[in-house]
Amino acid sequence: MQRTAVRRVLTGLAMLTALAAGAAGLTGCSGASDGGSTSDSKAGGSSAAPAQPGKYRSLPAPCRAAADSKKLKAMLPEPDGLTPEQRDQLYAGVADASYDGDRHVGCRWSSQTPEETRLLSVGFERVVSYDRGAASDDDKAKQVYVRLLTDAHLPFPGPATTPGQGAANPANPNPANPNPAASPPPPAASPASGAPSPGAPAAGTPAPGTSPSAQPELGSRVLEGLGTEAFLDDKLSAAGATAAQSRTVRIVFRTSNVIVKVEYSVQPTVPGTIPPSGETQDRARQLAQALAERFNE
């Protein structure tokens, strides 16, 4: 009887020991699992949050956005003999076909007179990033702008720099002499053979009675004070014996995640007539500035 009781007690103790060991093992596994999930949560927390959507979620109607009667009438002279309905249709513009009005829209105008034909187009593109964890809408729009700037063969503007020590001073081109006023004046050169006499017009000055030279070409360049960043592309067609030269000015600017394009073309009908660079650029830039203000409203 005593031996049987002892055996029962030993068996009970063995079972309790096995249960305790199993419980400890489960606790260890649970702890390891909890530690792993903690590590995973910390790793996930270190990833960057996706960027917010761009400033613009939709686009204005370009025909209405550019409907400034004064600017359009200056850019598109009204042909003679138009009825009031035809005049309204001329300045109302024709909208481009678009399958996504929130991404790409445009509008076109044209005016034809006996002296010239003028064409105007305005386009808006809203840029969207499909992976805002890697790049925001603004970043994608900047990439589109840089590509257009590169296609126009214009340099990307770098940060402004200040002249360092020893840099040339326009008022004093000689750094070795800090006081140009104290320098003696250069000796007067004796008149050379063929030099103009006193009172004669300077070289390059048209003589009395002659027509002035052609207006200067302003050329293509990066613009300041228009949107976030902007550039102007000015192209003059090649001269021909029977064909007049046409000028096309294209202005592209970015405002947040929207790219705006303004293209203005003047095509004279008389050979030898060259549309002035300054006037054509100025009219296109005034319209572009009005559109930039429209987006800032």
Side-chain angles (χ1 to χ4, degrees):
M1 292 294 294
Q2 292 180 352
R3 290 181 180 179
T4 302
V6 170
R7 286 178 182 176
R8 290 177 179 176
V9 171
L10 292 176
T11 303
L13 291 175
M15 292 178 63
L16 290 175
T17 304
L19 290 174
L26 291 174
T27 303
C29 293
S30 175
S33 175
D34 293 344
S37 63
T38 304
S39 175
D40 292 342
S41 64
K42 289 181 179 179
S46 62
S47 60
Q52 293 296 321
K55 177 180 179 181
Y56 302 104
R57 309 290 183 89
S58 61
L59 293 172
C63 294
R64 285 194 300 239
D68 186 312
S69 59
K70 293 183 179 179
K71 291 182 176 61
L72 287 180
K73 288 181 179 179
M75 302 178 78
L76 305 166
E78 177 187 336
D80 296 333
L82 291 185
T83 64
E85 292 78 9
Q86 292 173 329
R87 186 184 306 109
D88 294 341
Q89 185 178 4
L90 168 66
Y91 295 116
V94 178
D96 293 344
S98 176
Y99 298 99
D100 190 348
D102 287 335
R103 293 291 305 277
H104 295 86
V105 290
C107 190
R108 299 177 182 275
W109 297 260
S110 63
S111 172
Q112 186 171 5
T113 65
E115 295 79 20
E116 60 188 7
T117 298
R118 300 194 182 191
L119 306 174
L120 172 65
S121 66
V122 169
F124 305 150
E125 177 184 357
R126 187 174 67 92
V127 183
V128 175
S129 173
Y130 292 103
D131 184 5
R132 286 200 293 270
S136 65
D137 292 350
D138 282 24
D139 293 336
K140 284 293 184 182
K142 186 177 184 66
Q143 293 175 11
V144 174
Y145 171 82
V146 170
R147 185 172 67 250
L148 295 171
L149 183 70
T150 303
D151 293 342
H153 304 289
L154 289 173
F156 191 78
T161 56
T162 56
Q165 186 176 3
N169 183 356
N172 180 20
N174 184 12
N177 182 13
N179 186 11
S183 301
S190 59
S193 174
S197 59
T205 303
T210 61
S211 59
S213 59
Q215 298 185 12
E217 290 289 323
L218 300 182
S220 305
R221 63 194 183 278
V222 173
L223 299 176
E224 296 182 356
L226 180 61
T228 308
E229 47 195 348
F231 70 87
L232 182 150
D233 188 18
D234 188 336
K235 294 187 181 302
L236 186 65
S237 66
T242 58
Q245 290 181 271
S246 63
R247 182 182 300 279
T248 300
V249 172
R250 183 172 63 115
I251 295 179
V252 177
F253 71 88
R254 178 178 74 88
T255 171
S256 186
N257 61 316
V258 170
I259 303 293
V260 179
K261 301 176 184 177
V262 176
E263 186 168 306
Y264 182 44
S265 179
V266 181
Q267 305 171 358
T269 56
V270 180
T273 304
I274 301 177
S277 176
E279 177 182 320
T280 310
Q281 289 191 14
D282 185 61
R283 288 175 176 172
R285 184 165 182 173
Q286 287 183 13
L287 179 59
Q289 188 67 50
L291 292 174
E293 294 172 359
R294 166 68 176 81
F295 274 94
N296 290 331
E297 291 178 354

